Amino acid sequence: MGRRYWNINLEEMMEAGVHFGHGTNKWNPRMAPYISAKRKGIHITNLTITARFLSEACDLVFDAASRGKKFLIVGTKKKAADLVASAAIRARCHYVNKKRLGGMLTNWYTTETRLQKFRDLRTEQKMGKFNRLPKGDAAMLKRNLSTLQAYLGGIKYMTGLPDIVIIVDQQEEYTVLRECSILGIPTICLIDTNCDPDLADISIPANDDAIASIRLILTKLVSAICEGRSSYIKNG
């Protein structure tokens, strides 16, 4: 079940600009082993290494999905937000694509309380209870609901901590990476040339600024999750 199986090819990655890193002045020296060249003042990542780690990550999520494990995908920067939501929905994963509430995982009890409030409000709205309230109160509850929807919409069916967390941008999502390491939750992280490759369990060196690059990496991971899930259902 190696690279050929996940259909990871270097040409496709080059077309998506996966190899373009940051400017050479904005790099983390720990990324040196993953960088193959400098071009016009930017670092170029070694796509053979990227392919190997991506394929390893696909194996990991496939195995986990085939055992019924739960995934959370996190990516809150503008470029990644829509991609994260659509990838997660396709693979029935939980997701966070708006600014995270700090301590979302480490203070799971608080998160659960918020989720319960969110579910209650949604039920009340569906049952038409808002319509029976004074205008001002109804407007306030609607505002609350849309705020909760933005922050918690992607995790509304989450009943416990995830088994694996996939992170789109290490710099942006540093707090979630820290929470996962405190809780011992395995992480798969997209890392650009300005990141620290030692922070996640599997780091995939890739351009985390280009939409095409983020989409390609997420698509491969999500396909592996979907395949794993279907074998879980067959054998379940």
Side-chain angles (χ1 to χ4, degrees), residues 5-6 10 47 59 63 67 93 95 99 103 106 133 138 158 161 196 206-207 215 230:
Y5 180 81
W6 299 124
L10 303 186
L47 286 182
D59 286 343
D63 288 341
R67 295 199 310 275
C93 299
Y95 68 93
K99 264 282 167 263
T106 41
L133 293 169
M158 204 150 117
L161 290 172
D196 180 346
N207 181 342
R215 183 187 290 121
S230 57

Side-chain angles (χ1 to χ4, degrees), residues 114-130:
R114 285 185 181 135
L115 280 170
Q116 195 48 59
K117 186 184 175 196
F118 177 41
R119 287 188 199 110
D120 293 346
L121 277 174
R122 281 177 72 216
T123 309
E124 284 173 22
Q125 188 187 35
K126 280 196 188 112
M127 289 165 67
K129 282 193 179 167
F130 288 8

Side-chain angles (χ1 to χ4, degrees), residues 80-201:
D82 291 345
L83 299 173
V84 164
S86 55
I89 290 163
R90 197 184 129 210
R92 300 199 308 284
C93 299
H94 307 294
Y95 68 93
V96 172
N97 69 341
K98 294 273 190 294
K99 264 282 167 263
R100 284 181 53 262
L101 306 164
M104 190 183 97
L105 300 174
T106 41
N107 295 334
W108 179 246
Y109 176 76
T110 310
T111 305
E112 260 182 329
T113 313
R114 285 185 181 135
L115 280 170
Q116 195 48 59
K117 186 184 175 196
F118 177 41
R119 287 188 199 110
D120 293 346
L121 277 174
R122 281 177 72 216
T123 309
E124 284 173 22
Q125 188 187 35
K126 280 196 188 112
M127 289 165 67
K129 282 193 179 167
F130 288 8
N131 308 336
R132 299 199 283 279
L133 293 169
K135 251 192 181 145
D137 296 355
M140 194 181 75
L141 286 177
K142 276 182 187 152
R143 269 201 308 277
N144 280 355
L145 189 58
S146 70
T147 306
L148 289 167
Q149 174 62 43
Y151 289 111
L152 303 174
I155 60 164
K156 60 177 174 269
Y157 302 117
M158 204 150 117
T159 53
L161 290 172
D163 299 300
I164 292 178
V165 176
I166 296 168
I167 295 169
V168 169
D169 178 330
Q170 191 190 82
Q171 307 285 53
E172 200 86 14
E173 317 304 344
Y174 183 68
T175 46
V176 80
L177 197 55
R178 279 233 333 264
E179 286 183 40
C180 289
S181 87
I182 290 167
L183 295 162
I185 299 170
T187 48
I188 294 169
C189 196
L190 220 76
I191 52 161
D192 215 320
T193 53
N194 60 341
C195 295
D196 180 346
D198 304 328
L199 296 180
D201 294 282

Side-chain angles (χ1 to χ4, degrees), residues 29-101:
R30 286 190 175 158
M31 287 297 290
Y34 309 103
I35 292 170
S36 60
K38 291 177 190 177
R39 217 176 289 157
K40 293 184 183 157
I42 67 165
H43 276 127
I44 304 294
T45 46
N46 182 330
L47 286 182
T48 315
I49 296 178
T50 300
R52 194 171 76 231
F53 284 116
L54 179 54
S55 156
E56 229 173 81
C58 286
D59 286 343
L60 177 81
V61 296
F62 173 85
D63 288 341
S66 64
R67 295 199 310 275
K69 301 289 190 201
K70 308 276 189 292
F71 300 86
L72 172 68
I73 305 177
V74 181
T76 60
K77 64 178 182 187
K78 262 206 171 86
K79 279 183 182 169
D82 291 345
L83 299 173
V84 164
S86 55
I89 290 163
R90 197 184 129 210
R92 300 199 308 284
C93 299
H94 307 294
Y95 68 93
V96 172
N97 69 341
K98 294 273 190 294
K99 264 282 167 263
R100 284 181 53 262
L101 306 164

